[in-house]
Amino acid sequence: VARRRTLEIRTLGELEAAAAALLPEAIRGYVNGGAAEEVTLRENHAAFGRWTLRPRVLEEVRTLDLATKMLGAEVRAPFFIAPTAYQRAVHPDGERGMARAASHVGILAVFSTLSSDSLEAIARAAPSGPRWFQVYLQPKFVDSQALAERAERAGYSALVVTVDTPVLGSRDQQLASGFAMENPVALGNGRNVVSPPRPPGGPGPRFPLEGGSEASWELLRRLRETTTLPLVVKGLLRAEDAQRAVEVGASAVIVSNHGGRQLDRSPASLDALPEIVEAVGDRVEVYVDGGVRRGSDVLVALALGARAVGLGRPPLWALAVDGEAGVGRFLGLLSSELATSLAILGRRSVQEVDRTDVRPAPLGRSTS
Ligand SMILES: Cc1cc2nc3c(=O)[nH]c(=O)nc-3n(C[C@H](O)[C@H](O)[C@H](O)COP(=O)(O)O)c2cc1C
């Protein structure tokens, strides 16, 4: 039954609806919720509606090329699976199913520190990758280093350090849904590995961040020096921070507000993309995630200077609906939408898409 439903799914919107119908309320709140009033969550989508694509006609588009390179690795399309925690909470295939589906079609998948399977088991499930490991800096720096070493040994080809989470955001929808932050499923990477701390509570003049991480630009530099893997800094929204990331040795940055789950009223990631591309785009690769739901969204982000875009919730919806097969279906859908849009835009290759392919939408146009 589930399989038939997957094949009938035509858009990521339908995938979202199918997952919503099937997931228990608490898990749905965990996956779909954002921070506080969810202004940023909504803005992540709305921002794409503020751009128009400018098709060019009568171009030769009989062969379409979606392939690109991310830090030297060939990928079949300019989108990747962003890191999300606890994947087995949505389906027993978990991270291993996600890894196999992505690897099968040559799409990059990034796996979270808070995975339900161990990083080694994920690597064994899809040995050829491409695959990166996302690091949450740990209360003690030695533990962050240990994670980095394990990822390197297990064949991950980059470390994505998420820097937007000194504490978890106020996830109101998630809390209202009854999702308990503490260990919804066992963590795969061992008991030493912890999640960023919950928001501080209680009255008082000072708020000690219990379980807070040792995190600083200097530690990022140290991490960079202790690993041979390239460093990708995830969760930037300001040009100055992107510049600092490059100064400490990052090879790429991901413009991201964590899917609207951290600071409500922070900008849509697409809105922050241009200033970061302008600041560091000539030195490092720039990616963006947040609110990408259509092939045409991918094109807008590429036109504004992103090399590739990440998706967080859609692959989880796909996993929820039909495990590994569902993720395969999702990747196929997004690829064919992207190919369709690319052809009609009048470009043969995603690498040809540039700033002339977009223009701000006329003021007053309603956004998505
Ligand atoms: C359920 C869920 C769990 C997430 N867990 C992590 C995580 O463990 N590490 C991390 O860096 N980002 C995490 N993120 C953020 C995603 O990597 C990504 O930035 C975001 O989901 C992109 O927005 P989108 O969901 O609109 O595509 C999570 C997002 C969701 C929805």
Side-chain angles (χ1 to χ4, degrees):
V1 177
R3 182 69 54 96
R4 216 179 71 220
R5 190 164 45 218
T6 306
L7 289 173
E8 283 164 7
I9 284 171
R10 303 264 164 260
T11 66
L12 274 54
E14 287 179 21
L15 199 56
E16 175 173 15
L22 170 158
L23 286 173
E25 190 187 344
I27 306 293
R28 193 167 65 234
Y30 160 66
V31 171
N32 289 344
E37 300 289 309
E38 303 187 337
V39 175
T40 298
L41 177 64
R42 288 189 295 276
E43 274 291 294
N44 274 354
H45 298 267
F48 287 93
R50 293 193 278 269
W51 292 94
T52 54
L53 287 164
R54 304 175 62 229
R56 216 178 264 270
V57 301
L58 296 177
E59 295 292 322
E60 196 283 285
V61 290
R62 277 179 299 181
T63 51
L64 295 167
D65 187 4
L66 301 189
T68 190
K69 280 188 175 173
M70 295 177 67
L71 294 180
E74 298 268 358
V75 290
R76 211 79 76 71
F79 51 78
F80 61 95
I81 296 180
T84 53
Y86 315 125
Q87 294 180 2
R88 241 192 277 157
V90 305
H91 192 281
D93 285 0
E95 285 83 2
R96 283 172 300 167
M98 191 77 92
R100 278 191 297 262
S103 179
H104 188 64
V105 292
I107 292 291
L108 175 80
V110 187
F111 291 97
S112 170
T113 291
L114 307 177
S115 52
S116 29
D117 292 311
S118 73
L119 65 93
E120 290 85 2
I122 299 167
R124 279 195 301 275
S128 53
R131 185 175 63 246
W132 294 353
F133 182 72
Q134 179 258 322
V135 180
Y136 272 130
L137 291 168
Q138 297 291 304
K140 293 205 187 92
F141 183 66
V142 288
D143 293 321
S144 307
Q145 270 180 312
L147 274 173
E149 279 162 24
R150 281 173 61 188
E152 192 168 347
R153 266 201 310 276
Y156 289 73
S157 52
L159 292 179
V160 177
V161 183
T162 298
V163 293
D164 59 12
T165 319
V167 291
L168 294 169
S170 306
R171 314 255 172 99
D172 294 357
Q173 185 186 150
Q174 179 174 305
L175 289 173
S177 75
F179 182 87
M181 200 72 90
E182 264 87 37
N183 299 335
V185 292
L187 283 181
N189 285 325
R191 260 189 255 159
N192 282 345
V193 172
V194 298
S195 153
R198 278 189 302 173
R206 289 162 68 83
F207 293 96
L209 291 185
E210 246 167 84
S213 294
E214 250 190 284
S216 65
W217 290 105
E218 189 43 41
L219 283 183
L220 207 58
R221 184 195 304 278
R222 270 176 62 195
L223 189 65
R224 171 78 197 85
E225 284 163 2
T226 59
T227 174
T228 63
L229 295 179
L231 217 63
V232 181
V233 178
K234 173 174 186 278
L236 299 174
L237 294 166
R238 300 173 65 135
E240 314 88 282
D241 281 352
Q243 261 147 358
R244 287 188 86 170
V246 173
E247 280 159 24
V248 302
S251 303
V253 296
I254 305 180
V255 181
S256 172
N257 52 38
H258 214 111
R261 297 159 81 81
Q262 282 301 100
L263 181 62
D264 201 22
R265 295 196 187 285
S266 58
S269 6
L270 190 74
D271 287 342
L273 177 64
E275 74 172 77
I276 292 187
V277 167
E278 188 176 306
V280 301
D282 54 344
R283 282 175 289 167
V284 297
E285 297 185 1
V286 179
Y287 316 120
V288 65
D289 74 21
V292 176
R293 301 294 180 263
R294 287 281 185 181
S296 51
D297 295 341
V298 179
L299 290 180
V300 168
L302 297 187
L304 292 175
R307 174 175 283 257
V309 303
L311 292 95
R313 292 178 182 86
L316 285 180
W317 299 329
L319 189 68
V321 170
D322 199 10
E324 179 182 341
V327 178
R329 174 78 180 149
F330 149 70
L331 293 170
L333 274 179
L334 190 59
S335 297
S336 60
E337 261 193 23
L338 177 58
T340 303
S341 302
L342 187 69
I344 304 171
L345 183 67
R347 295 289 200 187
R348 250 179 314 193
S349 157
V350 291
Q351 299 189 46
E352 290 172 5
V353 175
D354 67 24
R355 190 62 182 71
T356 70
D357 290 324
V358 284
R359 188 169 281 170
L363 275 183
R365 170 174 142 165
S366 69
T367 52
S368 42

